[in-house]
Amino acid sequence: ETGVTQTPRHLVMGMTNKKSLKCEQHLGHNAMYWYKQSAKKPLELMFVYNFKEQTENNSVPSRFSPECPNSSHLFLHLHTLQPEDSALYLCASSLPGQVPVGELFFGEGSRLTVL
Amino acid sequence: KQEVTQIPAALSVPEGENLVLNCSFTDSAIYNLQWFRQDPGKGLTSLLLIQSSQREQTSGRLNASLDKSSGRSTLYIAASQPGDSATYLCAVQSYGGSQGNLIFGKGTKLSVKP
């Protein structure tokens, strides 16, 4: 059983819709991450949060809006997406504020399809 | 700019074989290298984390080695089983990289036939 839980597991949305992805971790970590995995491309880091504060935005378009209300929960709000945003979005957690970060623990991912 | 390459992209072996997966990286200035397993449509499971000062790590039937100076790592799987079928990813954390900015390879898709 994973310590990082993501919902929904699958999401289909139109380009004008607004939806959100949710991540919850039960590992006592204080750093959380969003990664994107597109077909035939390596995983890419999107956002980093430490103790609820965003510390990294890896040049992500503003149609992706993260939110971290507390150290256990992370959201990714989606609006006006493009079909090329269809991908597997992975949440991860770790001990906070370190480079290198040590071991990362990933959730099962949310498979997003934009029509 | 750090780049990670995994060869082969896909590998099919009969059950019971020992096998080696390869990972290479272009910049040897790394903190660590991590191997992950990903089942179809699922998230990543961490298998082994090797610090830059280490040469290898072992967990059960898995053994990962690291040769930082040559920019290579291998994942050795002993006595492969059908349950080992998955995509195996390696990732490095480089000096100068930001927190959590692992550079991933595209993975090796392993199929172990009964």
Side-chain angles (χ1 to χ4, degrees), chain A residues 33 35 37 50 101 103 107, chain B residues 38 42-43 46 93 98-100:
Chain A
Y33 311 80
Y35 283 82
Q37 187 176 34
N50 284 283
V101 74
E103 195 167 5
Chain B
Q38 186 174 30
K42 299 289 186 69
S46 177
Q93 290 192 65
S98 56
Q99 177 187 343

Side-chain angles (χ1 to χ4, degrees), chain A residues 15-65:
Chain A
M15 290 192 286
T16 58
N17 291 160
K18 290 185 180 181
K19 298 286 184 182
S20 296
L21 307 181
K22 178 183 176 181
C23 176
E24 184 174 0
Q25 59 94 3
H26 307 278
L27 299 169
H29 292 155
N30 286 296
M32 298 186 76
Y33 311 80
W34 281 116
Y35 283 82
K36 176 182 179 181
Q37 187 176 34
S38 305
K40 304 193 185 301
K41 290 179 67 176
L43 266 129
E44 301 172 280
L45 178 67
M46 299 175 72
F47 300 103
V48 180
Y49 278 81
N50 284 283
F51 295 100
K52 305 185 299 178
E53 299 297 321
Q54 187 182 125
T55 53
E56 183 79 16
N57 176 336
N58 200 20
S59 302
V60 181
S62 59
R63 58 185 183 270
F64 295 91
S65 175

